């Protein structure tokens, strides 16, 4: 968790940023961070509450999370990514089949905007999004996700509209550590 003045990929501002790539660079820590999530998913799958055929991580942040959950659950994992126009797409010949049940995997969920864009493209191809998993759930109060959410941790960290940002009002420049353009 970094401290400063950040422009989040959701467009909101915050004084905290979770750079999950720094955690995920260590495969053993990635496995440990997601073990609890995989266990809860497995429990709900066994109980018949959830069915998943594949895991999809929106690039960049979701790729390793999807891969690691796929490894632990024995499911295929692939990713969606932005094209040159910024639209979220399924590329590289990854196949989405009608009726396929998808778990979306993210590093951090703030507004579930990336997940929503991925869900829209997957569902336009006939798939059905069943749930969302992430490492950090940092949603503000009142921000709901349209699917059951399986976070590794829930963190209450403030984030604001740019217009309401105290750090902007103080004239502190915001940095953009995310990668929505990739
Ligand atoms: Zn700001």
């Amino acid at each position: 968790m970094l401290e400063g003045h950040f422009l989040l990929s959701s467009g909101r501002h915050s004084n905290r940023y979770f750079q999950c790539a720094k955690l995920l660079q260590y495969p053993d820590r990635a496995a440990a961070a997601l073990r609890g999530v995989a266990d809860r998913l497995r429990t709900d799958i066994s109980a018949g509450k959830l069915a998943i055929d594949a895991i999809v991580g929106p690039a960049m942040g979701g790729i390793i999370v999807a891969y690691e959950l796929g490894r632990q659950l024995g499911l295929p994992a692939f990713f969606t990514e932005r094209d040159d126009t910024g639209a979220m797409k399924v590329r590289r010949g990854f196949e989405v089949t009608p009726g396929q049940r998808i778990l979306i995997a993210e590093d951090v969920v703030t507004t579930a905007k990336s997940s929503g864009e991925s869900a829209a493209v997957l569902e336009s191809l006939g798939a059905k999004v069943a749930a969302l998993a992430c490492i950090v759930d940092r949603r503000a109060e009142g921000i709901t996700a349209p699917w059951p959410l399986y976070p590794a941790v829930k963190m209450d960290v403030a984030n604001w509209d740019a217009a309401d940002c105290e750090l902007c009002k103080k004239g502190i420049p915001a940095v953009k550590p995310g990668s929505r353009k990739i």
Side-chain angles (χ1 to χ4, degrees), residues 5-7 12-14 160-169 172-174:
H5 180 197
F6 302 103
L7 175 55
R12 295 175 69 81
H13 289 207
S14 182
W160 315 279
D161 249 11
D164 299 327
C165 177
E166 289 300 323
L167 299 168
C168 280
K169 285 175 193 160
I172 299 166

Side-chain angles (χ1 to χ4, degrees), residues 51 53 96-103 119 122-123 126-131 147:
D53 301 308
V96 177
T97 52
Q100 192 177 30
R101 296 158 300 184
I102 304 274
L103 171 72
L122 293 163
E123 293 191 340
K128 173 94 183 80
V129 174
W147 314 281

Side-chain angles (χ1 to χ4, degrees), residues 13-163:
H13 289 207
S14 182
N15 57 356
R16 302 275 193 279
Y17 185 78
F18 295 95
Q19 185 47 278
C20 286
K22 295 199 68 154
L23 167 72
L24 297 172
Q25 71 181 307
Y26 304 106
D28 56 335
R29 294 187 199 175
L34 288 164
R35 193 159 294 133
V37 176
D39 286 346
R40 294 202 304 282
L41 288 165
R42 206 179 282 114
T43 299
D44 284 357
I45 291 167
S46 301
K49 290 183 197 163
L50 181 69
I52 302 168
D53 301 308
I55 305 174
V56 175
M60 293 282 298
I63 295 177
I64 297 174
V65 181
Y67 171 84
E68 177 56 28
L69 287 174
R71 193 186 67 79
Q72 293 196 31
L73 293 170
L75 289 166
F78 59 96
F79 53 91
T80 55
E81 62 194 303
R82 294 182 188 283
D83 67 12
D84 293 340
T85 70
M88 196 66 91
K89 291 276 166 64
V90 176
R91 302 172 76 179
R92 302 174 198 259
F94 293 135
E95 283 176 27
V96 177
T97 52
Q100 192 177 30
R101 296 158 300 184
I102 304 274
L103 171 72
I104 293 184
E106 289 266 26
D107 52 356
V108 182
V109 170
T110 305
T111 60
K113 184 175 165 184
S114 300
S115 311
E117 290 174 66
S118 287
V121 63
L122 293 163
E123 293 191 340
S124 76
L125 297 167
K128 173 94 183 80
V129 174
L132 173 61
C134 64
I135 296 177
V136 181
D137 171 13
R138 62 165 297 174
R139 289 173 302 157
E141 221 175 296
I143 304 286
T144 54
W147 314 281
L149 181 58
Y150 294 81
V153 287
K154 164 80 184 147
M155 302 283 284
D156 280 315
V157 179
N159 62 81
W160 315 279
D161 249 11

